[in-house]
Amino acid sequence: MADRHTESGIPIRPVYGPEALDGWDPQERLGEPGRYPFTRGVYPTMYTGKPWTMRQYAGFGTAAESNARYRQLIANGTTGLSVAFDLPTQMGYDSDAPLAAGEVGKVGVAVDSVEDMAVLFRGIPLGEVSTSMTINAPASVLLLLYRLVGESQGVAPAALTGTIQNDVLKEYIARGTYIFPPKPSLRLVADVFRYCRAEVPRWNTISISGYHMAEAGADPAQEIAFTLANGIEYVRTAIAAGMEVDDFAPRLSFFFVARTTLLEEVAKFRAARRIWARVMREEFGASNPKSLMLRFHTQTAGVQLTAQQPEVNLVRVSVQALAAVFGGTQSLHTNSFDEAIALPTEKAARLALRTQQVLAYESDVTATVDPFAGSYVVESLTDEVEAAALQLMGRIEDMGGAVAAIERGFQKGEIERTAYRVQQETDAGERTVVGVNRFQLDAEEPYQPLRVDPAIEAEQAARLAKLRAERDGLAVQRGLTALRKAAEGTGNVLYPMREALAARATVGEVSDALREVWGTYTPSERF
């Protein structure tokens, strides 16, 4: 029987036996759960005492509409919120900016000011819920808006828990929602690290993301190699800015995809933990065990969802969720079955959450820690995925690190080649996609997607006009002037940024103030 290959191109044999782990030292390669090298998970008990955080990614239209969806998710058992922002917000533009036309509220919620943020979380106690915000270039702005809303609820900043993505390097590689050139962008990341340590100590300051690279086409080895290389760049940036590694590293987190190729995905997560623990201890001298832990959120693979026979996506998502759980994720978002067509309906979002709940409360996957430990195939694949990732990371180091490699287009080129190969295999029928190139239906069943009201753009513009008419314009200008001055110097920009936002400066105005000082990045520029 001919060997098959994993997504990373590693041969996978029909049968594995003891010879696959010949010379393999379980104490060195595995250790104990919750202890170095964390192959078996970052916590000793993992899910045996408490399941992972069930964090459903949601946001669309206005803040009021998204607030209603969040309340529904909480009522249905979600244990953590995850905010999707619309494209103008992600790019640091207000809803009434010319460049925002046609995009307001489309792929996420429009947030222009502290008033929108207050509506977004109305009736949701921020001292009791953990919130993840998928925001990068203007991550500092949205974090501060969240803090201001928390304070208005009477919640001390030290009680706020959650994560901002804040990972701008992957934007240059795979996603494109960057604003500033890399150097000031990295400075902003370091400022967030310092600010949160002093002001919001329980907040996860960055979610270093492989998910978007995987969605663009990266295979599992590329996903963890490029993500961990970016993580190394952030650690070096923070140390160069004068921080001690153990002062910020415990708050670093990661974000990965979970594909339907369950065995390789489990191996991928285990390999990533082991690599990161070794890098943090051996390269950066971290001594706090929490600095060595690769804690991560997982989202099931949006790129593997199909518009054809969308209900089949329920099965795909279930397999992907199992891969994440067997791989030891700390939190999980399960995609809705209709996301290849449009924004999820309320029913589809509820079914996605129920998928996690069935796994957590009806199956036995939470009964024991790391059930794949010692598996011939999984341990062998873990070693091979680790070796493949380390080889790619070595090439990046030879180029001078993640930023230098990005400048040369290395990561982007590797991802594009992989994506092209997968598409060729799919088109040729060598790779089966159920409902697409095999097991098709003669006619698809009708489906009514969720639609975003186009009137939202005018409503947001009216809210902004009212805000600007009612606020203290001089206080806003003073705040923005102080922010520009800090950006021109070396001080932490988050302190004057907070004052400007508290005076009701908008997301676009704050971003524009930084654009005036730092400029904007275009792909044709050199780093």
Side-chain angles (χ1 to χ4, degrees), residues 41-237:
V42 293
Y43 301 123
T45 58
M46 289 304 291
Y47 313 131
T48 58
K50 181 182 178 183
W52 58 92
T53 299
M54 299 178 194
R55 191 186 299 282
Q56 289 301 110
Y57 184 52
F60 62 95
T62 65
E65 289 175 296
S66 293
N67 174 261
R69 175 62 61 87
Y70 297 155
R71 286 166 172 264
Q72 291 162 0
L73 288 169
I74 290 170
N76 282 305
T78 291
T79 53
L81 297 177
S82 184
V83 183
F85 295 97
D86 72 355
L87 191 57
T89 305
Q90 293 181 49
M91 298 294 291
Y93 292 111
D94 289 332
S95 295
D96 59 355
L99 285 173
E103 294 293 342
V104 176
K106 290 292 179 64
V107 298
V109 60
V111 173
D112 294 316
S113 69
V114 68
E115 293 188 356
D116 286 337
M117 189 68 93
V119 172
L120 188 63
F121 292 102
R122 186 166 51 202
I124 298 173
L126 298 191
E128 300 173 19
V129 68
S130 170
T131 301
S132 173
M133 293 188 281
T134 302
I135 196 74
N136 293 284
S140 54
V141 183
L142 276 300
L143 168 66
L144 293 172
L145 291 178
Y146 190 84
R147 175 183 174 172
L148 288 168
V149 171
E151 289 174 343
S152 73
Q153 292 184 359
V155 180
L160 295 174
T161 60
T163 305
I164 44 173
Q165 198 159 97
N166 198 29
D167 175 11
V168 73
L169 290 181
K170 65 95 173 48
E171 298 296 323
Y172 302 117
I173 295 172
R175 222 172 147 258
T177 61
Y178 41 72
I179 299 176
F180 316 112
K183 186 175 180 180
S185 293
L186 288 172
R187 171 194 167 177
L188 197 50
V189 170
D191 281 357
V192 169
F193 288 1
R194 281 196 297 262
Y195 182 87
C196 286
R197 182 170 187 266
E199 305 287 341
V200 198
R202 297 177 65 194
W203 197 265
N204 296 319
T205 53
I206 193 168
S207 178
I208 307 163
S209 304
Y211 182 87
H212 307 91
M213 292 185 276
E215 291 286 281
D219 65 37
Q222 291 170 337
E223 178 192 356
I224 62 170
F226 300 158
T227 304
L228 299 185
N230 286 350
I232 290 168
E233 194 78 35
Y234 292 125
V235 173
R236 288 172 176 165
T237 297

Side-chain angles (χ1 to χ4, degrees), residues 262-315:
L262 185 147
L263 296 178
E264 186 179 20
E265 291 299 288
V266 173
K268 176 192 76 177
F269 295 129
R270 294 158 67 82
R273 276 193 296 269
R274 197 155 67 198
I275 294 170
W276 187 249
R278 186 167 59 247
V279 166
M280 293 303 290
R281 187 167 78 170
E282 295 180 4
E283 178 173 343
F284 296 111
S287 57
N288 183 342
K290 292 183 178 180
S291 299
L292 311 180
M293 294 179 182
L294 185 141
R295 297 172 302 113
F296 64 95
H297 170 71
T298 309
Q299 182 172 340
T300 56
V303 73
Q304 291 187 322
L305 301 179
T306 64
Q308 298 90 337
Q309 302 180 43
E311 293 85 355
V312 178
N313 293 327
L314 288 165
V315 182

Side-chain angles (χ1 to χ4, degrees), residues 387-407:
L390 287 172
Q391 191 269 339
L392 286 167
M393 292 172 71
R395 291 178 66 184
I396 290 170
E397 282 297 294
D398 289 344
M399 295 177 196
V403 169
I406 291 169
E407 178 184 5

